[in-house]
Amino acid sequence: MIKNFIHRSITSPKKFIIGKGLLNNPSKYIKDFGSNCFIICDVVFLDTIKQHTEVSLNKENIKSHIEQFNYQCTKEEVDRLCALTKKFKNDIVVGIGGGKTLDSAKAVAYYERLPVILMPTIASTDAPCTSLSVLYKGNGEFDKYLYLPQNPDSILVDTTVLINAPPRFFSAGVGDALATYFEARACYQTTGNNLVNMKPSRIGLGVSKMCYEIISDNIDKAMDAVKNKAITPAFEQMIEATIYLSGIGAESGGLAAAHAVCNGMSIIPDLHRAQHGEKVAFGLLTQLVLENAAHEEIENVFRIMKIANLPLTVEDLGLKNWDVEQWHKVASIANDKNDTMVNLPQKVDDQDIYNAMLTANEMGKRYKNKPIDSFKFVQFNK
Ligand SMILES: [Zn+2]
């Protein structure tokens, strides 16, 4: 277990590159780190990587071994991948895929003491930028957090790949990123612990605020772009917000009630198909109720969620019946003293959290019926 530090922290990847066609041609950003890549990738990208990525690397005299990720980031899978990097004498790890693939690549690089470059293929997760890997057990249950001493060396974000990913992942990424500022704000007020168990920095808070402002300013235009699979400046800014600012904002700024509620919701079987970011967005609504946030703030969060096609109620998240006992249990898990609910400035008990979730759901029903044109547009940067 990592010790608590009284120091404030700013931690981030060394480089974050955004552009079209990076998956097919990443050599320029890889050659400085090594000449023998171990590529861990999701099955859907195997052919593309063999046909394009590998060819591009070969042209620059970079060798590669391509290994398909085995669906779950377990200790066994990480051990298997580590053994292969030794066998092929690789000097750099490249992860291409979703959050679990990237978490495995980070873990392998850590154990093998190699540089790591990540290429996310969906925008739904903070995994690319953080110095943390989430390990699961073989049966899919959470195992442990692996705290890494360093963030990834480079993140290469191919907008062509992301714009062609299912839109639901983009929306889920917006949900996760939308909570970043509100959670960092709470954590900063309490001087709680951030994701690396240090105290939040002003930059962590500032980055989180920028994340929120970019989302607020660009969500309408970005969703139009996503609908048409068109890469636009608004879409690119949203990628900065959902992948980079959200990740380092959470890591340096800290989390609070939104993620704690999301963690509590994991016990409800009806919600197992909901995306992490979709549940975090509901957790954010709960946090805003607990904070008794300003009306304009709540309304703008709902505006963004509505435009992003995020679920506004637990029914929309997949819940069939509100089981009072079960939701009391969600509240008690969310209020675990080791979770991030403690970063809220006001002290809350289980009943307060239950009441806030119930109220957040009621608000969701109300805002669902409010026509989108009746929301006030909030523009932070002109
Ligand atoms: Zn999250």
Side-chain angles (χ1 to χ4, degrees):
M1 190 62 195
I2 196 162
K3 271 169 61 183
N4 286 345
F5 292 95
I6 53 163
H7 306 144
R8 294 187 187 271
S9 66
I10 304 159
T11 49
S12 72
K14 294 190 188 92
K15 288 185 183 179
F16 186 82
I17 313 290
I18 304 170
K20 296 173 193 159
L22 282 166
L23 179 62
N24 286 355
N25 196 6
S27 327
K28 184 178 171 194
Y29 299 105
I30 290 184
K31 65 182 181 190
D32 291 340
F33 290 98
S35 57
N36 187 7
C37 299
F38 185 72
I39 300 178
I40 305 166
C41 72
D42 286 356
V43 63
V44 284
F45 286 93
L46 265 180
D47 288 346
T48 307
I49 293 163
K50 281 182 184 154
Q51 283 165 23
H52 302 285
T53 318
E54 191 175 30
V55 175
S56 145
L57 293 169
N58 279 342
K59 276 188 194 156
E60 294 287 337
N61 297 319
I62 303 169
K63 286 196 291 181
S64 53
H65 170 80
I66 301 163
E67 187 65 29
Q68 185 189 320
F69 175 59
N70 241 346
Y71 305 109
Q72 192 56 278
C73 181
T74 59
K75 180 77 177 66
E76 293 70 34
E77 173 66 355
V78 171
D79 288 346
R80 179 182 79 87
L81 297 167
C82 283
L84 288 171
T85 63
K86 285 193 186 79
K87 181 179 165 192
F88 296 109
K89 297 188 170 52
N90 302 105
D91 57 11
I92 177 168
V93 177
V94 177
I96 303 173
K100 290 178 179 183
T101 313
L102 305 187
D103 272 1
S104 302
K106 287 193 284 188
V108 171
Y110 162 65
Y111 286 121
E112 297 303 309
R113 294 175 179 272
L114 296 175
V116 58
I117 292 185
L118 302 177
M119 304 183 72
T121 54
I122 48 176
S124 63
T125 141
D126 283 346
C129 291
T130 56
S131 56
L132 185 78
S133 287
V134 187
L135 292 180
Y136 293 85
K137 294 176 189 161
N139 61 5
E141 281 174 23
F142 171 79
D143 181 8
K144 62 173 179 177
Y145 289 120
L146 179 65
Y147 290 96
L148 308 167
Q150 291 196 55
N151 296 69
D153 293 275
S154 282
I155 322 295
L156 309 181
V157 185
D158 188 335
T159 44
T160 317
V161 172
L162 292 187
I163 200 76
N164 284 301
R168 188 178 173 192
F169 292 129
F170 179 79
S171 298
V174 172
D176 200 17
L178 183 56
T180 308
Y181 166 58
F182 299 96
E183 294 192 279
R185 181 175 72 180
C187 188
Y188 195 81
Q189 280 170 8
T190 358
T191 322
N193 285 346
N194 62 21
L195 268 192
V196 289
N197 278 344
M198 296 204 216
K199 297 301 170 194
S201 55
R202 184 62 182 80
I203 285 187
L205 177 62
V207 157
S208 307
K209 187 150 191 281
M210 188 185 229
C211 181
Y212 175 52
E213 291 178 358
I214 287 179
I215 294 172
S216 185
D217 288 358
N218 290 283
I219 185 68
D220 309 65
K221 291 173 278 179
M223 288 307 290
D224 291 339
V226 166
K227 203 170 157 190
N228 288 286
K229 298 198 182 302
I231 298 164
T232 61
F235 176 74
E236 287 177 333
Q237 284 201 26
M238 288 293 287
I239 292 305
E240 285 189 49
T242 56
I243 302 184
Y244 184 80
L245 298 174
S246 174
I248 65 163
E251 188 163 288
S252 303
L255 301 176
H259 273 78
V261 169
C262 168
N263 293 341
M265 287 162 81
S266 69
I267 60 153
I268 298 186
D270 282 359
L271 305 183
H272 282 176
R273 295 176 73 90
Q275 291 280 313
H276 168 78
E278 293 171 341
K279 287 184 284 182
V280 169
F282 182 75
L284 169 60
L285 300 177
T286 308
Q287 176 171 331
L288 294 173
V289 173
L290 286 167
E291 293 177 318
N292 199 20
H295 174 75
E296 298 76 38
E297 202 163 59
I298 291 176
E299 182 150 312
N300 197 40
V301 165
F302 270 112
R303 179 185 70 87
I304 292 165
M305 285 175 67
K306 228 172 137 97
I307 295 168
N309 293 327
L310 281 161
L312 302 188
T313 65
V314 286
E315 289 76 22
D316 292 347
L317 279 161
L319 190 81
K320 293 186 188 76
N321 299 303
W322 181 282
D323 178 331
V324 173
E325 204 179 313
Q326 204 172 37
W327 282 90
H328 273 292
K329 207 163 168 211
V330 171
S332 116
I333 295 169
N335 206 21
D336 187 300
K337 65 178 183 352
N338 293 315
D339 210 324
T340 52
M341 187 66 75
V342 294
N343 288 338
L344 270 193
Q346 55 278 70
K347 291 302 145 219
V348 294
D349 63 21
D350 296 4
Q351 186 66 42
D352 294 330
I353 298 166
Y354 177 86
N355 292 345
M357 292 190 298
L358 203 57
T359 308
N361 201 42
E362 198 58 39
M363 284 197 312
K365 287 183 205 163
R366 181 158 51 87
Y367 276 100
K368 226 177 125 168
N369 295 323
K370 184 174 160 64
I372 198 67
D373 292 345
S374 66
F375 283 78
K376 188 166 164 270
F377 184 77
V378 180
Q379 175 97 32
F380 288 96
N381 301 290
K382 295 193 174 83

